[in-house]
């Protein structure tokens, strides 16, 4: 994944800093609560929502099971329609392909539709290194780019900014990137939107190369689909002479009939709309209309490895609606940057460690960035059991041992806690295999219960500091049973 986030501290440290920022917390709380309430109303309007959710889950599972077949069908369809398909195993390969394609046009500027996949691979930075400037055209992405910031939400990348901050960014930075903000710009939404519209319009009219992602790819016809709310995507997809789309391999669906399900669930889950204001579809190239050249870069970048994991692969069903972020109590307080990835919130906590592996400090900490309350699963329109995957990934991290730093190097060590846990389990096995010793130990624990510490020492300290230790009873259960019911401790 992108180098943008490399070296991020582990989630608890980053979250600790974010929680101390009252402005950030206020912005996030206001935004997530507003979107979540609207989403709930939009979903309640649909009587067969549960059936749609189940259908979406089944379509995605079926497609992932036969991904090889559908990707080959997609390649054939795109090629037959006049497009060119490129396969990229990782971020470096995808960036190289895109940079070479842009250079072949002789252009030094591109306009971009909002795209998670291109953020994932750090495309803008890679193009910059090749002397190519990429202009983000989605309003929130523009705010992030001008502010030299990082996105913090899948759908609303500048959710951590309020109107006053956006006004300041526009007033200070727009001039360096093109048309400056109008004099005397205020923080009213209409004025901010107009400033962005004027700034971007000259980019759309000048651009010869457009770069996009896609929400879906339809294998049967080779059609790509982008849904959006502002119309900037439509401009990028139709005005330039060359269009390059970078799309994760999991975005394929077999047929238009399958697509119909997601075009109902995605807008309601993401922006709480009945349908997206702009749904753009394109199939290869068409003479006299739209781009003359179309390239599709199919991106793996860890997806095949994720697919190989029976529990974790359900993360690939994700349609990036961001509903799970908006209901997550951890995301609401920690914000998106703490997740150290372009995929924040609950889906980021299960997707990033699978795409990138759990070797780095930040990725090893992400599966723990959750209270396992299950709200994310409840709202997910493709029924991804995020808590199940989190627990599964915690197991993977625990088995891998502790992640530590040696200078700039991240190294894996057998975790102390893990060794202590193994020792405790060995002691338990010994005691449970010897009923006499177990009974003697329980009686001793009961008699000395007033001397027991209120918290555990050593590696158990953090665990017991946040929990109340259960009191040891005055009388072991087996003794109580024998005294009150008679017979042996087995109850005979
Ligand atoms: S995991 Fe589910 S709720 Fe979260 S972004 Fe993906 S599809 Fe939406």
């Amino acid at each position: 994944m992108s180098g943008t986030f490399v070296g991020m501290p582990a989630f608890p440290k980053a979250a600790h800093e974010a929680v101390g920022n009252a402005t950030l917390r206020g912005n996030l709380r206001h935004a997530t609560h507003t979107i979540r309430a609207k989403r709930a109303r939009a979903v309640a309007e649909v009587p067969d929502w549960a059936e749609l959710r189940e259908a979406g889950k089944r379509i995605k599972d079926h497609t992932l099971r036969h991904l090889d077949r559908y990707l080959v069908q997609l390649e054939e369809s795109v090629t037959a329609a006049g497009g060119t398909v490129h396969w990229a195993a990782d971020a470096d390969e995808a960036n190289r392909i895109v940079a070479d394609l842009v250079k072949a046009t002789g252009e030094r500027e591109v306009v971009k539709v909002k795209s998670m996949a291109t953020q994932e691979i750090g495309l803008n930075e890679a193009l910059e290194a090749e002397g190519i400037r990429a202009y983000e055209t989605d309003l929130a992405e523009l705010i992030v780019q001008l502010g030299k910031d990082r996105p913090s939400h899948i759908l609303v990348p500048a959710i951590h900014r309020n109107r006053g901050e956006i006004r300041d960014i526009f007033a200070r930075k727009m001039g360096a990137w093109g048309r400056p903000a109008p004099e005397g710009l205020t923080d009213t939404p209409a004025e901010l939107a107009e400033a962005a519209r004027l700034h971007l319009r000259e980019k759309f009219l000048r651009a010869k190369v457009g770069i996009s992602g896609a929400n879906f790819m339809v294998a049967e016809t080779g059609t790509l689909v982008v849904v959006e709310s502002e119309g900037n995507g439509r401009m990028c997809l139709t005005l330039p002479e060359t269009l390059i789309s970078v799309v994760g391999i999991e975005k394929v669906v077999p047929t238009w009939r399958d697509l119909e399900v997601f075009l109902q669930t995605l807008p309601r889950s993401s922006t709480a709309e009945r349908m997206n204001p702009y749904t753009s579809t394109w199939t290869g190239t068409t003479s006299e209309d739209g781009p003359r050249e179309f390239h599709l870069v199919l991106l793996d970048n860890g997806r095949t490895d994720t697919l190989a994991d029976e529990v974790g692969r359900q993360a690939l069903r994700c349609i990036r609606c961001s509903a799970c972020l908006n209901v997550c109590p951890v995301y609401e307080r920690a914000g998106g940057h703490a997740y150290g990835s372009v995929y924040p919130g609950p889906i980021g906590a299960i997707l990033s460690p699978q795409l990138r592996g759990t070797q780095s400090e930040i990725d090893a900490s992400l599966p723990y960035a959750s209270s396992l309350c299950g709200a994310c699963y409840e709202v997910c329109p493709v029924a991804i059991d995020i808590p199940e995957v989190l627990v599964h990934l915690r197991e993977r991290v625990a088995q891998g041992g502790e992640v530590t730093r040696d200078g700039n190097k991240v190294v894996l060590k057998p975790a102390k806690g893990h060794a202590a846990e193994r020792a405790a389990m060995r002691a338990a096995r010994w005691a449970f295999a010897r009923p006499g010793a177990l009974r003697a130990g329980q009686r001793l624990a009961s008699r000395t219960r007033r001397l027991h510490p209120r918290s555990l020492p050593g590696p158990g300290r953090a665990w017991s500091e946040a929990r109340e230790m259960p009191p040891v009873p005055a009388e072991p259960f087996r003794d109580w049973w024998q005294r009150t019911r008679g017979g042996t401790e087995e109850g005979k």
Side-chain angles (χ1 to χ4, degrees), residues 154 269 315 317-325 346-347 350 376 379-384 386:
I154 291 176
S269 296
R317 292 206 293 261
C318 177
I319 55 173
R320 312 278 191 268
C321 72
S322 73
C324 57
L325 277 66
I347 182 59
I350 62 167
C376 47
V379 296
C380 179
V382 283
I384 299 172
I386 293 177

Side-chain angles (χ1 to χ4, degrees), residues 161-387:
R161 298 287 194 191
N162 60 31
R163 284 193 273 141
E165 291 174 303
I166 295 167
R167 192 214 76 87
D168 292 346
I169 290 171
F170 279 9
R172 277 189 288 113
K173 299 287 177 61
M174 263 185 174
W177 287 75
R179 183 177 172 134
E183 281 293 313
L185 179 69
T186 72
D187 67 358
T188 57
E191 279 197 37
L192 293 174
E194 179 66 1
R197 199 179 71 83
L198 294 170
H199 178 82
L200 290 171
R201 185 55 57 103
E202 65 168 32
K203 304 261 185 287
F204 292 132
L205 295 176
R206 205 171 59 210
K208 296 280 187 288
V209 182
I211 295 181
S212 83
N215 295 94
F216 305 100
M217 305 182 285
V218 184
E220 66 176 350
T221 55
T223 304
L224 271 71
V225 183
V226 159
V227 294
E228 40 119 12
S229 302
E230 297 168 16
N232 65 301
R234 181 71 57 85
M235 301 281 237
C236 292
L237 296 166
T238 52
L239 291 176
E241 289 167 9
T242 301
L243 174 60
I244 304 165
S245 301
V246 183
V247 190
I249 52 175
E250 82 282 18
K251 294 294 179 72
V252 66
V253 294
T255 67
W256 280 79
R257 211 187 159 115
D258 297 322
L259 178 66
E260 180 200 333
V261 171
F262 302 110
L263 291 185
Q264 293 177 74
T265 52
L266 179 54
R268 287 178 194 266
S269 296
S270 53
T271 48
E273 289 165 309
R274 291 174 180 148
M275 64 181 289
N276 287 98
Y278 294 89
T279 300
S280 300
T281 67
W282 68 102
T283 309
T285 54
T286 310
S287 66
E288 308 299 321
D289 190 18
R292 303 272 82 81
E293 258 188 64
F294 168 56
H295 296 272
L296 170 59
V297 182
L298 288 172
L299 178 71
D300 186 322
N301 206 31
R303 286 158 175 79
T304 311
D305 292 340
T306 306
L307 194 57
D309 186 312
E310 279 182 27
V311 179
R313 69 171 61 138
Q314 57 186 305
L316 296 177
R317 292 206 293 261
C318 177
I319 55 173
R320 312 278 191 268
C321 72
S322 73
C324 57
L325 277 66
N326 300 328
V327 296
C328 177
V330 176
Y331 175 86
E332 183 188 320
R333 286 158 184 86
H337 291 155
Y339 293 81
S341 157
V342 296
Y343 302 112
I347 182 59
I350 62 167
L351 195 57
S352 306
Q354 294 199 85
L355 294 181
R356 304 192 294 204
T358 49
Q359 284 77 30
S360 75
E361 214 170 351
I362 178 71
D363 289 316
S365 68
L366 285 176
Y368 299 89
S370 169
S371 63
L372 302 180
C373 72
C376 47
Y377 171 62
E378 292 297 318
V379 296
C380 179
V382 283
I384 299 172
D385 194 338
I386 293 177

Side-chain angles (χ1 to χ4, degrees), residues 457-473:
R461 182 186 297 279
W463 187 86
S464 57
E465 266 173 8
R467 295 166 178 82
E468 284 198 3
M469 295 286 288
V472 175

